[in-house]
Amino acid sequence: MLPDIPEVVVERLPVYARALPQLASHGREVVSSQDLGEQLGVTPAQIRKDLSYFGRFGKQGRGYNIRRLVEELRQILGLEREWTVVLIGVGHLGKAILHYGGFAPQGFHVIAAFDNDPETIGQEIAGLCVQDVGELPPTLAGRTVEIGIVAVPAAQAQGIIDLLVSCGVQAILNYAPIAAHVPAGVHVRHIDPVLALQSMTFYVKDSDQPVR
Amino acid sequence: MLPDIPEVVVERLPVYARALPQLASHGREVVSSQDLGEQLGVTPAQIRKDLSYFGRFGKQGRGYNIRRLVEELRQILGLEREWTVVLIGVGHLGKAILHYGGFAPQGFHVIAAFDNDPETIGQEIAGLCVQDVGELPPTLAGRTVEIGIVAVPAAQAQGIIDLLVSCGVQAILNYAPIAAHVPAGVHVRHIDPVLALQSMTFYVKDSDQPVR
């Protein structure tokens, strides 16, 4: 097994895995931490430190072999496999998620979508027929679904997350604006545009909008 | 001015500012870093260290006065003001953003939406008439728009971000799967569900899906 990797490091590895092939597409075989850092707006020291958790990818002063580094990162992150995903909540956001073309090419396949609204249940969206959320447990029984995407209102989100966990889902992507609780061994990531905006307003100055 | 605050700390402050009022709603006036940490799934030490950048909010062993801490955090983060936002890209995702009810109550007001698709331009969505993206510079001229939300395809995103920056926008919330470049003084946050998923698959084990 790998040593204990800080979660912030694990969160940065996919960024590296995505940026490297773009550098390779310019005909390069080797990249320095300097070049990769410039591309991503992070320091070379951070890149070297992050990658050092996984052994010596590069030699001092020689840079990283791009193809080998991408392969290793994809292996470490489990990106060489297919992953099965269910979506709960098919409002405006859930519909946008179903229509998003970025998941499948990366190996994330939404195989079922659920809602509790009678008008939404039965609709076909992006090739999937929306099911009643009551059908979630029987649909997941006996098959491996690793990932749940939660796009329900805040008040319902923790209950849905608990339901997914009880069905064996190990990873939750939560779009609801709550700090979700999951048991040990289950992982959760939050997508929260309001928090992202609030972490930028700290920096924005010299504006003449009224104080409320 | 405040000392140099690490960006990761600034990113966590809105999480604290949101969780604290929920604790207060249970009738409490004071919270310990232990309680807040449990609520959020982070260590008490991290909370104490993060808050220590902004002076002494609490007394050792006594906890934090919730009301005062929330007020200070909101002041620090600029959450007591109204902020003006434009959206570029009104596909499925952009529509979901316009319909999302979570921005306005937090002081983020989307005042205009732009697209380049002739069929989308002129549509009224959530009370806004979608404008041609060519009208972006004249629409922003002479008024203060601090924030741009970018929900266009990856290939167009950097160009749109450059356009927003040239119009004086200081903060970009980017939904396109690219590592966007902005000049010094402009801030960017990325919303990228694929990267979030890829940072969880590292942890998910014991699954019997085929390797691709």
Side-chain angles (χ1 to χ4, degrees):
Chain A
M1 268 307 298
L2 291 162
D4 243 10
I5 319 286
E7 197 150 333
V8 288
V9 175
V10 174
E11 288 182 23
R12 284 193 290 254
L13 296 182
V15 182
Y16 304 155
R18 192 174 67 187
L20 285 162
Q22 291 166 19
L23 290 169
S25 73
H26 301 143
R28 300 165 60 162
E29 289 182 9
V30 173
V31 67
S32 65
S33 52
Q34 186 81 37
D35 290 341
L36 184 55
E38 260 171 41
Q39 173 79 5
L40 295 172
V42 299
T43 65
Q46 183 192 286
I47 288 170
R48 284 193 300 268
K49 190 169 171 220
D50 286 353
L51 296 179
S52 72
Y53 282 101
F54 305 94
R56 284 180 63 89
F57 279 122
K59 286 221 171 61
Q60 190 69 37
R62 287 222 202 146
Y64 303 98
N65 177 292
I66 295 176
R67 195 175 55 81
R68 191 162 77 87
L69 182 54
V70 171
E71 271 175 19
E72 296 255 10
L73 285 174
R74 292 184 59 83
Q75 195 70 44
I76 288 165
L77 291 167
L79 308 187
E80 295 301 318
R81 314 188 2 183
E82 307 288 331
W83 297 92
T84 308
V85 181
V86 292
L87 169 72
I88 299 90
V90 193
H92 291 291
L93 174 62
K95 288 190 177 78
I97 290 167
L98 289 177
H99 282 290
Y100 181 52
F103 290 122
Q106 301 299 326
F108 298 103
H109 300 282
V110 182
I111 59 148
F114 303 88
D115 204 287
N116 66 358
D117 172 27
E119 292 200 10
T120 305
I121 295 163
Q123 279 189 33
E124 191 180 305
I125 295 159
L128 281 181
C129 180
V130 181
Q131 297 174 254
D132 189 316
V133 72
E135 295 174 24
L136 178 64
T139 303
L140 267 59
R143 65 190 301 177
T144 305
V145 173
E146 297 93 354
I147 299 168
I149 300 183
V150 176
V152 303
Q156 291 153 47
Q158 186 63 55
I160 290 295
I161 289 167
D162 294 342
L163 180 64
L164 284 166
V165 171
S166 74
C167 293
V169 169
Q170 298 174 65
I172 309 274
L173 188 65
N174 171 42
Y175 281 83
I178 62 157
H181 289 88
V182 291
V186 177
H187 292 85
V188 63
R189 294 282 182 275
H190 299 281
I191 300 268
D192 194 324
V194 167
L195 291 183
L197 290 172
Q198 290 180 334
S199 78
M200 287 194 287
T201 50
F202 174 81
Y203 298 102
V204 179
K205 317 279 182 209
D206 303 319
S207 173
D208 56 5
Q209 292 292 301
V211 171
R212 61 170 169 172
Chain B
M1 267 308 295
L2 291 162
D4 245 7
I5 319 288
E7 198 150 332
V8 288
V9 175
V10 174
E11 288 181 22
R12 285 193 289 254
L13 297 181
V15 182
Y16 303 155
R18 192 174 65 186
L20 285 162
Q22 291 166 20
L23 290 169
S25 73
H26 300 141
R28 300 166 61 163
E29 290 182 9
V30 172
V31 67
S32 66
S33 52
Q34 187 80 36
D35 291 341
L36 184 56
E38 261 171 41
Q39 173 80 6
L40 295 173
V42 299
T43 65
Q46 183 192 286
I47 289 171
R48 284 194 300 269
K49 191 171 172 220
D50 286 355
L51 296 180
S52 73
Y53 282 101
F54 305 94
R56 285 178 63 87
F57 279 122
K59 285 222 170 62
Q60 190 70 35
R62 288 220 200 146
Y64 302 98
N65 177 293
I66 296 177
R67 195 177 54 82
R68 191 162 77 87
L69 182 53
V70 171
E71 272 175 18
E72 297 255 10
L73 285 174
R74 293 185 59 82
Q75 194 71 44
I76 289 165
L77 290 167
L79 307 186
E80 296 300 319
R81 311 187 5 181
E82 307 288 331
W83 297 93
T84 308
V85 181
V86 292
L87 169 72
I88 299 89
V90 193
H92 291 291
L93 174 62
K95 288 190 177 78
I97 290 168
L98 289 176
H99 283 289
Y100 182 51
F103 290 123
Q106 301 299 327
F108 298 103
H109 301 281
V110 182
I111 58 148
F114 302 87
D115 205 286
N116 65 358
D117 171 26
E119 292 200 11
T120 306
I121 295 163
Q123 278 188 34
E124 191 179 306
I125 295 160
L128 281 181
C129 181
V130 181
Q131 297 174 255
D132 189 315
V133 72
E135 294 173 25
L136 179 63
T139 303
L140 267 59
R143 65 191 300 177
T144 305
V145 174
E146 296 95 352
I147 300 168
I149 300 182
V150 175
V152 303
Q156 293 154 46
Q158 185 63 54
I160 290 294
I161 289 167
D162 294 344
L163 180 64
L164 284 165
V165 170
S166 74
C167 292
V169 170
Q170 298 174 66
I172 309 274
L173 187 65
N174 171 41
Y175 281 81
I178 62 158
H181 290 88
V182 291
V186 177
H187 292 85
V188 65
R189 294 284 181 274
H190 300 282
I191 300 269
D192 194 324
V194 167
L195 290 182
L197 290 172
Q198 291 180 334
S199 78
M200 287 194 287
T201 51
F202 173 81
Y203 298 102
V204 179
K205 318 276 181 212
D206 304 319
S207 173
D208 55 5
Q209 293 293 300
V211 170
R212 62 171 172 169

